Amino acid sequence: MMSNVRRMVSLFKGVCRTRTCPVHTWTSGAGLVLQSRSTDVFQNLALEDWIEANVDLRQRGVLLLWRNRPAVVIGRHQNPWTECDLQAATKAGIHVARRRSGGGTVFHDLGNLNLTFFTSKKNYDRRRNLKMITDALRRVRPELDVQATDRLDIVLNGHLKISGTASRLRRDSSYHHCTLLHSADRSALSAVLRPSTSGIHSNATPSVPSPVANLVDHAPTLQWEELLEALVDQYNEEFGCTSALTSIDPSDEASFPGIGLFVSELSSWEWTFGKTPKFSVRTVLDLSEHRSAQLHLEVKNGLVASCQVLVPPDWIPQSLADQLSQVLVGERFCRHGAAAAAVSTLLRLDGTGGRLEELSKAVLRAMG
Amino acid sequence: SVSGECTSGVHSSPFFCFSCRCEFPSAANIFHIRYFKTSAVHRDEVVTVKTPAFAESVSEGDVRWEKAVGDSVTEDEVVCEIETDKTSVQVPAPAAGVIEELLVPDGGKVEGGTPLFKLRKGAGAAKAAPSPAVEAPAAAPPSPPPPPPPPTPTPAAMPPVPPQAPKAQPVSAVKPTHAAPGPSAAGSRGESRVKMNRMRLRIAQRLKEAQNTCAMLTTFNEVDMSNIQEMRKFHKDAFLKKHNIKLGFMSAFVKAAAHALTDQPAVNAVIDDTTKEIIYRDYVDISVAVATPKGLVVPVIRNVETMNFTDIEKAINALGEKARKNELAVEDMDGGTFTISNGGVFGSLFGTPIINPPQSAILGMHGIFDRPMAINGKVEIRPMMYVALTYDHRLVDGREAVTFLRKIKSVVEDPRVLMLDL
């Protein structure tokens, strides 16, 4: 155990193993290239936090390469209910995670490579990072027409997006991460990247959809390992050092002390859903016999802050509908769990099988 | 233009440093927060923090507040984040203090230099952020209230559906701190009045209605748990290995109840007061009371009459998992023809459960305690559980109720009874 820690510490103290790096290409010191062995989105996001918190980036930068089992990753200030169909995701075993950096929603899977460039604030240069990537691609497949755009995407043949970027700036450090579509499963995308429920009015950061493509569609012989190697070589060349690709295991608490806390935070409901900017839901609920009710919910911090259900006066008494509204206030905006339990208690009290039950279930269905 | 490092460290412009005349290439971004004392009245106390300059010719960003007015912050604590062009930039507090005013609404657009918020400096002046105010039932706190202790109104009563819903209500009535205010000063004799919330009132009303309509009676018996415990001890490893879940003893009681309910259909039936009919059901749906961090929920196992011990154990396990992960759907908690409630988890010895309307009976399980028993003329120590059956006497007569409970006892004490259909 201790030897692990010492090894990690020495890695990050960054003894540049081979040659001294010329000062003008980097402020000083070496770059370090790491590859995560984990495919768990929360562990990898936690690893980013850990590196940012524990590694002195003033002397050297770090490049982290990682990929995840299928997951939907939303930006820091986005609304998971508008970006993703949460029921479909849960059913498919797809995790939903909120990252720390801004930007839009991405679908991760094992065919989608993530690169994170950790640097000091001074050396933060996203265009340079993207140039490194396009240079690497051109080197390994010269026939590929890849370009970085003004919006910091990388496009193939002028219009097909193969990479999107996001970043995070703190007081002393920064990171820029981006995706690179090698061989992602795009069919799984469409089933999940759509709103959970209709009628959401939100000022959260929206996602900008674009046509995407996989590298293998245009360079079928490009293997994953070949791509990684090309990127590592180009990184070393661009930033002036020789760093071998070091494989790390973010689940090893001994090598990454404190990473468990980052993982718990990132996988918590409070972070993923509770951090959603305030939004409202206004929708019409279809009831039997061609009747309908109006639902208006305000959601703050992922919890129902206020709820109003307006029913036709001859259908059930408005007071009964108000009881339903009351029961939902303070609960998570989610059709399962505490809201369902509260509704079920109400139904047990006031009779099941009736219109109140129908209304309650319609309201719950409208909740994420 | 001169590239390279500037050592002065402080720049009034993002692109040009006056002290060393170095110009920053647009590729290097440096963020600065300028502090201005703007208030004439509190000249040295309130500072206005402005939006840091954006880099790479980005003109505007959206503000997302992390803190609210009145929150106290420490130096460098993040007050808000600004999202520009896929970048999330943190804006920390320049000093410890209290947030006095937010100058931009959440989601509002800002440019470099736009005033963001006012901070009243001074750690001493900081007052703790107001905890979710205990207000009228209509108010909703931003976070759910803490779960109250397991509700046991009196030691004898064991409500099958304890008011867990009040936890959904942001009303102080539910918070332990208000239900039983600790004495602030030794011997103080104050009082605090807390309004009952609607849900609690409704539950209270419904319970009284049930008591008034049903003729509720409770019959007791005791169960010798030795055989079941031995069966578990003997088979638990193989069970875990094959089925991947632990073998509990709830499944024995659920199976026993299902067997007894098919045998005595009246206990599985219910009176419809509006039409004065008895509704007999040929399916057995057992509601199992499950304790969760947020209170008691009552998910239903459907068609138990078709299940064996293992099926039941799996169903209980699955529902328990769902309950724990807050994934129980409202459909999971619909209906039920009979309820089983286990007060034993809280250490209850003996008690009268209350029927969970609209059902006709409820089985209350209690704690397992070693007791001396007379076995074949000798005294032996056996692990014993008292069981209670509260039933609606309008529908179920005494003989049926006692027979029903004895049947449960015989199945749990000797599961071979099921094999032989006795």
Side-chain angles (χ1 to χ4, degrees):
Chain A
M1 282 299 124
M2 270 316 290
S3 62
N4 264 351
V5 178
R6 262 189 243 114
R7 194 160 49 82
M8 280 299 149
V9 167
S10 76
L11 257 184
F12 290 121
K13 277 209 173 110
V15 176
C16 182
R17 303 278 180 71
T18 54
R19 55 182 168 84
T20 328
C21 308
V23 174
H24 70 270
T25 55
W26 198 246
T27 46
S28 71
L32 187 58
V33 183
L34 303 172
Q35 181 181 17
S36 171
R37 286 206 283 272
S38 171
T39 51
D40 178 89
V41 62
F42 301 111
Q43 278 187 354
N44 284 325
L45 289 174
L47 181 58
E48 281 185 322
D49 282 351
W50 190 95
I51 293 175
E52 198 189 15
N54 291 285
V55 176
D56 184 354
L57 298 165
R58 285 171 304 182
Q59 302 310 311
R60 89 192 29 73
V62 175
L63 171 65
L64 175 69
L65 301 171
W66 45 292
R67 61 177 170 170
N68 296 317
R69 292 187 305 276
V72 173
V73 182
I74 64 173
R76 172 70 180 82
H77 307 290
Q78 290 203 295
N79 183 324
W81 287 279
T82 46
E83 298 301 328
C84 176
D85 183 343
L86 298 168
Q87 301 299 321
T90 317
K91 234 188 221 152
I94 296 175
H95 288 303
V96 175
R98 179 189 298 271
R99 59 178 188 268
R100 308 267 190 197
S101 56
T105 299
V106 217
F107 182 80
H108 284 198
D109 75 5
L110 294 173
N112 184 354
L113 175 65
N114 291 286
L115 301 94
T116 309
F117 298 83
F118 295 90
T119 58
S120 62
K121 281 272 265 289
K122 206 145 68 95
N123 292 315
Y124 175 72
D125 187 346
R126 294 179 293 180
R127 289 198 186 280
R128 190 179 184 190
N129 298 335
L130 294 180
K131 175 176 175 295
M132 178 226 107
I133 297 174
T134 50
D135 286 347
L137 288 173
R138 271 187 229 110
R139 195 180 238 180
V140 78
R141 290 287 183 280
E143 72 276 15
L144 282 177
D145 169 16
V146 285
Q147 285 280 294
T149 67
D150 290 336
R151 291 201 69 238
L152 301 169
D153 296 333
I154 298 180
V155 290
L156 190 60
N157 299 345
H159 66 284
L160 295 168
K161 185 170 159 177
I162 57 167
S163 163
T165 268
S167 47
R168 178 158 151 94
L169 286 156
R170 298 178 67 184
R171 216 169 72 106
D172 303 313
S173 59
S174 73
Y175 65 73
H176 161 220
H177 55 200
C178 58
T179 52
L180 190 55
L181 285 174
H182 174 265
S183 50
D185 178 4
R186 301 206 316 270
S187 61
L189 261 170
S190 48
V192 168
L193 289 184
R194 52 155 199 246
S196 295
T197 179
S198 61
I200 296 184
H201 298 263
S202 149
N203 69 354
T205 311
S207 290
V208 178
S210 348
V212 295
N214 280 315
L215 281 169
V216 291
D217 295 339
H218 296 259
T221 57
L222 180 63
Q223 299 291 330
W224 181 266
E225 289 72 24
E226 194 184 346
L227 175 63
L228 288 190
E229 216 178 285
L231 289 165
V232 174
D233 289 343
Q234 195 63 35
Y235 178 81
N236 283 323
E237 185 171 313
E238 175 71 37
F239 295 99
C241 196
T242 305
S243 170
L245 181 61
T246 310
S247 162
I248 54 176
D249 178 9
S251 66
D252 183 355
E253 183 86 22
S255 305
F256 299 98
I259 199 170
L261 287 173
F262 288 128
V263 174
S264 330
E265 197 196 333
L266 287 161
S267 43
S268 71
W269 188 93
E270 285 71 24
W271 172 259
T272 313
F273 297 97
K275 287 291 184 185
T276 308
K278 190 165 64 166
F279 65 98
S280 62
V281 178
R282 278 191 203 98
T283 184
V284 169
L285 304 169
D286 290 324
L287 304 166
S288 59
E289 294 155 28
H290 307 288
R291 309 308 298 278
S292 61
Q294 285 182 41
L295 173 65
H296 180 186
L297 283 163
E298 297 285 332
V299 182
K300 194 166 173 227
N301 298 329
L303 305 173
V304 176
S306 75
C307 175
Q308 236 196 337
V309 182
L310 293 172
V311 289
D314 57 332
W315 199 69
I316 56 168
Q318 184 62 45
S319 58
L320 214 50
D322 290 344
Q323 278 191 35
L324 172 62
S325 300
Q326 281 233 310
V327 149
L328 294 171
V329 170
E331 297 307 332
R332 291 181 179 176
F333 181 66
C334 175
R335 66 179 71 167
H336 299 319
V343 165
S344 124
T345 304
L346 178 69
L347 291 178
R348 249 200 304 275
L349 297 177
D350 281 301
T352 52
R355 288 175 170 175
L356 181 61
E357 177 170 347
E358 188 191 345
L359 181 68
S360 307
K361 291 186 171 171
V363 170
L364 284 174
R365 268 196 305 275
M367 283 177 55
Chain B
S1 63
V2 177
S3 61
E5 293 184 36
C6 167
T7 52
S8 71
V10 176
H11 305 88
S12 54
S13 145
F15 295 113
F16 191 77
C17 167
F18 290 103
S19 59
C20 67
R21 305 289 189 91
C22 61
E23 189 180 317
F24 291 83
S26 58
N29 323 327
I30 296 189
F31 287 71
H32 304 282
I33 295 169
R34 308 305 297 164
Y35 312 155
F36 294 87
K37 294 174 185 167
T38 55
S39 166
V41 177
H42 302 105
R43 194 173 289 273
D44 292 301
E45 279 190 321
V46 176
V47 297
T48 297
V49 176
K50 292 195 172 180
T51 312
F54 301 141
E56 295 179 359
S57 68
V58 170
S59 57
E60 63 175 17
D62 300 333
V63 180
R64 301 287 177 193
W65 292 108
E66 289 286 309
K67 299 286 178 188
V69 173
D71 285 350
S72 64
V73 291
T74 53
E75 187 177 334
D76 278 349
E77 202 176 340
V78 176
V79 178
C80 67
E81 296 207 10
I82 302 191
E83 174 143 5
T84 75
D85 185 32
K86 310 172 192 184
T87 303
S88 185
V89 182
Q90 297 189 323
V91 180
V98 178
I99 306 291
E100 174 119 320
E101 196 186 335
L102 303 180
L103 302 168
V104 184
D106 189 79
K109 300 220 176 292
V110 291
E111 300 179 351
T114 308
L116 276 177
F117 65 93
K118 291 195 177 150
L119 174 77
R120 178 176 293 278
K121 284 162 90 168
K127 66 181 196 317
S131 44
V134 172
E135 291 164 351
S143 57
T152 43
T154 68
M158 189 164 67
V161 185
Q164 51 79 34
K167 294 164 202 43
Q169 293 304 310
V171 175
S172 51
V174 179
K175 296 185 189 176
T177 48
H178 280 270
S184 47
S188 80
R189 295 168 54 80
E191 257 179 25
S192 68
R193 284 175 170 264
V194 160
K195 210 145 178 66
M196 286 174 78
N197 70 16
R198 292 246 196 118
M199 183 60 89
R200 195 184 272 276
L201 283 168
R202 192 76 195 87
I203 291 173
Q205 193 182 12
R206 196 75 166 94
L207 285 177
K208 278 318 285 180
E209 268 170 27
Q211 275 192 331
N212 292 340
T213 33
C214 297
M216 281 198 231
L217 241 51
T218 307
T219 175
F220 297 94
N221 218 310
E222 58 187 3
V223 178
D224 185 336
M225 298 293 286
S226 345
N227 281 342
I228 277 281
Q229 285 187 345
E230 197 189 320
M231 180 181 92
R232 276 183 73 208
K233 203 163 81 167
F234 201 72
H235 293 289
K236 69 175 163 59
D237 293 331
F239 191 87
L240 181 61
K241 194 158 173 210
K242 177 164 184 201
H243 300 291
N244 230 358
I245 51 172
K246 280 170 70 172
L247 177 60
F249 56 78
M250 202 52 179
S251 48
F253 282 92
V254 173
K255 181 65 185 165
H259 177 77
L261 285 163
T262 32
D263 193 59
Q264 307 258 13
V267 188
N268 198 43
V270 71
I271 293 178
D272 182 342
D273 287 293
T274 47
T275 61
K276 306 284 184 249
E277 290 173 316
I278 302 173
I279 309 172
Y280 290 94
R281 292 158 303 195
D282 49 13
Y283 56 88
V284 173
D285 284 356
I286 294 192
S287 314
V288 180
V290 177
T292 67
K294 277 204 103 180
L296 227 70
V297 290
V298 197
V300 181
I301 311 175
R302 304 197 193 276
N303 285 105
V304 186
E305 77 282 5
T306 60
M307 296 181 165
N308 62 26
F309 270 61
T310 306
D311 298 328
I312 293 171
E313 200 63 61
K314 285 182 179 169
I316 292 176
N317 202 60
L319 286 172
E321 270 297 296
K322 266 183 146 184
R324 241 184 5 95
K325 294 197 284 191
N326 272 317
E327 281 172 15
L328 278 177
V330 73
E331 292 78 18
D332 292 328
M333 297 180 276
D334 268 352
T337 59
F338 182 78
T339 301
I340 298 183
S341 176
N342 188 357
V345 297
F346 311 127
S348 164
L349 172 72
F350 204 76
T352 53
I354 189 167
I355 293 176
N356 177 14
Q359 295 174 359
S360 298
I362 174 172
L363 174 71
M365 294 163 57
H366 298 272
I368 303 172
F369 300 104
D370 281 344
R371 265 193 279 132
M373 300 296 291
I375 313 282
N376 294 329
K378 292 212 278 281
V379 173
E380 287 181 25
I381 305 292
R382 291 292 174 93
M384 300 299 295
M385 179 199 281
Y386 283 118
V387 287
L389 179 78
T390 301
Y391 59 100
D392 182 354
H393 206 319
R394 297 177 301 163
L395 183 52
V396 181
D397 63 34
R399 189 178 51 86
E400 284 173 319
V402 172
T403 312
F404 179 86
L405 197 54
R406 280 200 70 88
K407 225 180 192 49
I408 291 186
K409 170 190 165 83
S410 68
V411 169
V412 177
E413 286 186 343
D414 187 355
R416 296 174 298 185
V417 158
L418 289 170
M419 264 171 60
L420 302 168
D421 193 16
L422 293 171

